[in-house]
Amino acid sequence: MAVPEGVFATVKDRVVTVKGPRGTLVKSLRHLQLDFAVSQKMKTISAIRWFGYKTDVSCLNTALAHIRNMITGVTRGFRFKLRFASAHFPINVGVEGDVIEIRNFLGEKRVRKVPIPSDLKIYRTDPTVTKDELVIEGNDLEEVSKKAAAIHNLCLVKNKDIRKFLDGIYVMTKTNVVQDE
């Protein structure tokens, strides 16, 4: 797999470190029995599985996909946009400090709170441009998608017909922070 210009990748003891213009990401792939080879001169990363069965070899593509996502994260970043859907009771979402507070979901008094990691940037869009939208930005795809899933799972409708009660917070778009020209 080729490494683009401006990105430096190293592997030591199956711990992959990728440095780029947006920051540094570190991921441990020690649970996979793979040999990694990094060529700084050729700007490539390769993974090898010796004497593997079909299921063992399938881990190769997974590991390379993780590294590819890390390279994309340090060069372009990831942006998830979430929209609030409500039929009767409007959902109030506030981002204050390192906590997201979700109020008035289905008219409930309960305040749902989600902690924000320091490496993610979460903000509300301008209501005059796009109403009821929350944006999550970060370099690590797993962290961004986990936080979007956590917010979505907090606002699931329980004990009601989900065909009728479509209220909730849903992921609308998945894009990159830095767009391609």
Side-chain angles (χ1 to χ4, degrees), residues 103-122:
R103 300 175 186 273
N104 201 34
F105 175 68
L106 293 178
E108 296 175 353
K109 297 293 183 189
R110 179 179 153 218
V111 178
R112 293 161 166 84
K113 295 183 180 182
V114 182
I116 302 172
S118 61
D119 56 343
L120 291 184
K121 180 181 174 187
I122 299 180

Side-chain angles (χ1 to χ4, degrees), residues 32-117:
L32 300 175
Q33 295 177 350
L34 300 175
D35 287 343
F36 291 99
V38 178
S39 173
Q40 298 294 349
K41 189 170 95 175
M42 302 280 289
K43 298 288 278 182
T44 59
I45 296 177
S46 60
I48 302 163
R49 169 66 184 183
W50 298 98
F51 306 111
Y53 294 104
K54 186 176 180 180
T55 55
D56 299 330
V57 175
S58 67
C59 293
L60 262 172
N61 290 329
T62 302
L64 291 177
H66 282 302
I67 296 171
R68 199 173 302 117
N69 287 336
M70 291 169 67
I71 291 171
T72 304
V74 298
T75 55
R76 296 188 295 167
F78 296 100
R79 175 184 292 149
F80 281 30
K81 292 184 179 180
L82 291 86
R83 291 293 298 267
F84 318 143
S86 59
H88 188 270
F89 296 103
I91 301 172
N92 298 329
V93 177
V95 180
E96 302 189 12
D98 58 345
V99 174
I100 301 171
E101 291 185 349
I102 303 167
R103 300 175 186 273
N104 201 34
F105 175 68
L106 293 178
E108 296 175 353
K109 297 293 183 189
R110 179 179 153 218
V111 178
R112 293 161 166 84
K113 295 183 180 182
V114 182
I116 302 172

